[in-house]
Amino acid sequence: VRQCGKLERHGSLSLFVCSQSPRFYDGAVVAELLVLGEREVEDLLDPAGCLAAVECALVTLARGEMHLPLRAIIRPPGTTSLLGTMPTHRGGAAPLWGLKTVAVVTENSARGLDPHQGTVSLFDGSTGQTIAVMNAAPITSIRTAAASALATRV
């Protein structure tokens, strides 16, 4: 990593962008990684946009352009915690890899923390380059609400 710094504040947002040593693809330099914490993700998600995005994802899945394998659950012997991984790939004109990881640590409740801690990582579907790493909690909440709202339309 060459540099990692806090960007200027934009409204209530503080965005971190980490630049790696420059890499070249088709003559273009691709070198940024967007990292968003819980508050930043909450501030960026709007209900109408998320509803449209979930609807688009469901249509893409129905068309067979989305590969969504079963999640993997890792539970080490002798522990009460687990890690779930949920990979996906979207094909089509703008391919994208996604990976949601969730650590479930039941002891976190006693610590005043959410037992579910996770991230959503996005990767360019053509190059595999990491695009973004985001806190999963607000994404999961609004996705669940959007899917429920869409189900009521049927």
Side-chain angles (χ1 to χ4, degrees):
V1 173
R2 186 175 49 177
Q3 62 179 341
C4 187
K6 195 174 205 177
L7 293 180
E8 295 178 16
R9 291 183 63 80
H10 298 278
S12 63
L13 297 179
S14 299
L15 303 179
F16 289 89
V17 175
C18 297
S19 295
Q20 300 173 347
S21 299
R23 290 173 283 166
F24 297 89
Y25 179 73
D26 259 357
V29 176
V30 181
E32 291 189 339
L33 170 62
L34 181 63
V35 179
L36 298 173
E38 185 172 7
R39 194 176 99 228
E40 288 81 15
V41 173
E42 287 172 349
D43 290 346
L44 288 169
L45 291 177
D46 71 284
C50 290
L51 188 65
V54 170
E55 183 174 29
C56 181
L58 293 173
V59 168
T60 302
L61 180 63
R63 281 195 302 238
E65 294 176 4
M66 185 87 67
H67 179 64
L68 194 62
L70 294 176
R71 66 185 71 186
I73 305 294
I74 299 106
R75 186 184 309 256
T79 67
T80 59
S81 60
L82 62 87
L83 182 73
T85 61
M86 293 150 263
T88 188
H89 180 267
R90 180 188 71 199
L96 185 71
W97 289 98
L99 178 64
K100 179 178 177 184
T101 56
V102 178
V104 180
V105 182
T106 55
E107 295 84 3
N108 275 354
S109 295
R111 297 177 181 118
L113 297 170
D114 188 333
H116 296 80
Q117 300 289 324
T119 61
V120 173
S121 300
L122 299 177
F123 306 87
D124 183 287
S126 298
T127 66
Q129 291 179 300
T130 308
I131 298 168
V133 178
M134 302 165 284
N135 185 288
I139 296 169
T140 300
S141 294
I142 201 161
R143 189 253 324 137
T144 301
S148 296
L150 288 170
T152 63
R153 289 185 183 174
V154 177

